[in-house]
């Protein structure tokens, strides 16, 4: 079975006539692999094309420029990440990808910025690309609007009021990442990936991928299937917060990347990671825990969940090393 396509043409606004059908399709995907495409999503193709052009410009800047703006110099993990700096699958080799991270431009006097909460704070921008902040902010706002609508459809899919999750999106944690995958080495072994197998940690990931493919999704049966690029669509997947919010009813499945382009050109991808407000409560929503049943996950805040995932991941990497 392939990855389903959900058409949002008549479901982009609260109360839209196609909302119930879209929510039903979302539930089917969420109880399977947790992956689906969305089409007619309301994001102009020109905006996506500009973001890909920006990704190529940023990720081909001189190495010295990118090193000076490394995420290692940023308390909010914003900026450039070098090739091989991340290992998403502790049993595989370092990932063959490089990237640039940025996020919502919250003001200095925002209480979460003052508190030093993760992802709330300043971005790092290269002076050589002065248009980058405005372009990224426009893309972030478009992705945030789509994320909020998908969370409303998620609520409907769980037989909850459409606005059930709205209050958790007052000051969301947002990360926009632009990725460049170099050609896959001809002599690479089976432990070499552009991005090793992993699940995402947050609530939603909305991925724009170029036309060259390489994303693979693991089905509940354990098979790996291609998330083949489809023009005019995004690939959406549920992150680990959603099983926690639904008591395991909805799934967050592993995925991985190999740049298998025969022409030897790089692959570009732009994932947007949506996570709710840092202090949002993540606990089973009504209807997901049967009477007398013990919830599968301990309740926590969104911020606590992310800290837990960071600790698990980096502990696993340290053990593997």
């Amino acid at each position: 079975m392939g990855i389903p396509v959900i058409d949002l043409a008549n479901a982009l606004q609260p109360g839209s006539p196609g909302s119930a059908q879209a929510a039903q399709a979302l539930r089917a995907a969420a109880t399977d692999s947790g992956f689906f495409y969305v089409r007619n999503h309301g994001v102009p193709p020109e905006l996506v094309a500009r973001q890909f052009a920006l990704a190529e410009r940023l990720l081909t800047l001189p190495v010295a420029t990118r090193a000076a703006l490394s995420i290692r110099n940023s308390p909010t993990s914003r900026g450039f990440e070098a090739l091989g700096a991340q290992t998403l699958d502790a049993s595989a080799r370092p990932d063959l990808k490089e990237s640039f991270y940025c996020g919502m431009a919250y003001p200095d006097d925002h209480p979460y910025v003052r508190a030093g909460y993760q992802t709330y704070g300043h971005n790092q921008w290269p002076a050589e690309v002065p248009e980058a902040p405005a372009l990224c902010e426009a893309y972030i706002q478009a992705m945030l609007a789509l994320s909020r609508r998908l969370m409303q459809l998620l609520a409907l899919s769980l037989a909850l009021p459409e606005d059930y999750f709205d209050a958790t999106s007052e000051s969301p944690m947002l990360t926009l990442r632009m990725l460049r995958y170099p050609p896959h080495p001809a002599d690479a072994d089976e432990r070499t990936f552009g991005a090793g197998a992993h699940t995402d940690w947050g609530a939603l990931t909305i991925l724009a991928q170029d036309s060259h493919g390489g994303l693979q999704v693991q089905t509940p049966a354990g098979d790996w299937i291609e998330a083949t690029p489809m023009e005019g669509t995004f690939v959406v997947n549920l992150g680990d917060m959603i099983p926690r919010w639904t008591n395991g009813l909805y799934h967050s499945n592993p995925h991985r990347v190999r740049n298998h382009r025969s022409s030897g050109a790089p692959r570009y991808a732009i994932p947007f990671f949506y996570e709710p407000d840092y202090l949002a409560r993540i606990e089973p929503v009504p209807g997901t825990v049967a009477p007398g049943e013990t919830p599968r996950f301990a309740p926590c805040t969104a911020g606590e969940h992310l800290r837990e995932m960071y600790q698990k991941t980096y502990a696993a990497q340290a053990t593997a090393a």
Side-chain angles (χ1 to χ4, degrees):
M1 179 178 178
I3 300 169
V5 181
I6 300 178
D7 195 325
L8 300 181
N10 295 310
L12 281 176
Q13 301 297 327
S16 296
S19 295
Q21 183 177 356
Q24 183 179 15
L26 195 158
R27 183 182 178 94
T31 53
D32 188 56
S33 70
F35 272 78
F36 52 96
Y37 297 88
V38 290
R39 68 157 51 108
N40 294 317
H41 42 66
V43 179
E46 300 81 14
L47 188 69
V48 180
R50 283 199 302 268
Q51 204 62 31
F52 272 108
L54 177 63
E56 184 172 0
R57 187 168 179 195
L58 288 170
L59 292 167
T60 54
L61 285 170
V63 172
T65 299
R66 288 180 277 158
L69 298 174
S70 169
I71 62 171
R72 296 182 180 183
N73 303 330
S74 168
T76 54
S77 296
R78 304 304 192 199
F80 291 94
E81 187 173 59
L83 188 70
Q86 188 176 43
T87 307
L88 287 168
D89 181 347
S91 66
R93 301 190 186 282
D95 295 347
L96 291 177
K97 67 179 187 299
E98 49 196 338
S99 58
F100 179 82
Y101 293 84
C102 61
M104 180 84 91
Y106 285 104
D108 289 344
D109 61 355
H110 190 286
Y112 291 1
V113 176
R114 293 203 309 266
Y117 290 158
Q118 185 177 347
T119 77
Y120 294 88
H122 292 285
N123 293 302
Q124 296 193 98
W125 301 107
E128 296 90 336
V129 192
E131 69 274 25
L135 290 176
C136 288
E137 181 64 18
Y139 193 83
I140 285 170
Q141 290 300 325
M143 291 296 103
L144 175 57
L146 180 56
S147 297
R148 285 172 167 157
R149 183 57 188 150
L150 289 172
M151 290 301 294
Q152 291 174 340
L153 294 173
L154 188 80
L156 288 177
S157 79
L158 292 161
L160 298 169
E162 197 166 12
D163 63 356
Y164 183 86
F165 294 110
D166 285 7
T168 70
S169 187
E170 293 295 325
S171 296
M173 295 178 281
L174 308 174
T175 299
L176 173 60
R177 188 179 190 186
M178 287 164 275
L179 286 155
R180 181 183 186 275
Y181 296 87
H184 201 70
D187 59 350
D189 61 20
E190 288 302 308
R191 294 173 56 230
T192 302
F193 297 92
H198 65 287
T199 58
D200 292 339
W201 299 344
L204 299 173
T205 302
I206 303 175
L207 174 71
Q209 54 177 340
D210 67 15
S211 61
H212 309 306
L215 174 63
Q216 298 177 330
V217 175
Q218 190 174 43
T219 69
D223 302 317
W224 289 95
I225 60 174
E226 297 284 336
T228 304
M230 298 177 61
E231 186 175 356
T233 69
F234 295 115
V235 179
V236 180
N237 66 279
L238 308 183
D240 295 333
M241 282 185 192
I242 300 301
R244 200 161 193 162
W245 240 331
T246 63
N247 200 41
L249 175 64
Y250 286 1
H251 299 159
S252 171
N253 271 29
H255 47 287
R256 65 190 186 189
V257 173
R258 274 200 176 106
N259 179 12
H260 47 54
R261 262 192 97 184
S262 58
S263 66
R267 172 188 187 264
Y268 286 90
I270 306 174
F272 175 81
F273 302 99
Y274 170 80
E275 286 123 26
D277 189 294
Y278 191 90
L279 297 180
R281 295 290 296 173
I282 308 296
E283 56 191 354
V285 300
T288 58
V289 180
E293 181 185 0
T294 301
R296 294 177 56 184
F297 305 94
C300 63
T301 65
E304 288 168 341
H305 167 82
L306 286 184
R307 287 202 305 272
E308 178 184 324
M309 299 308 295
Y310 273 109
Q311 290 165 359
K312 283 182 179 179
T313 298
Y314 287 111
Q317 288 186 16
T319 301

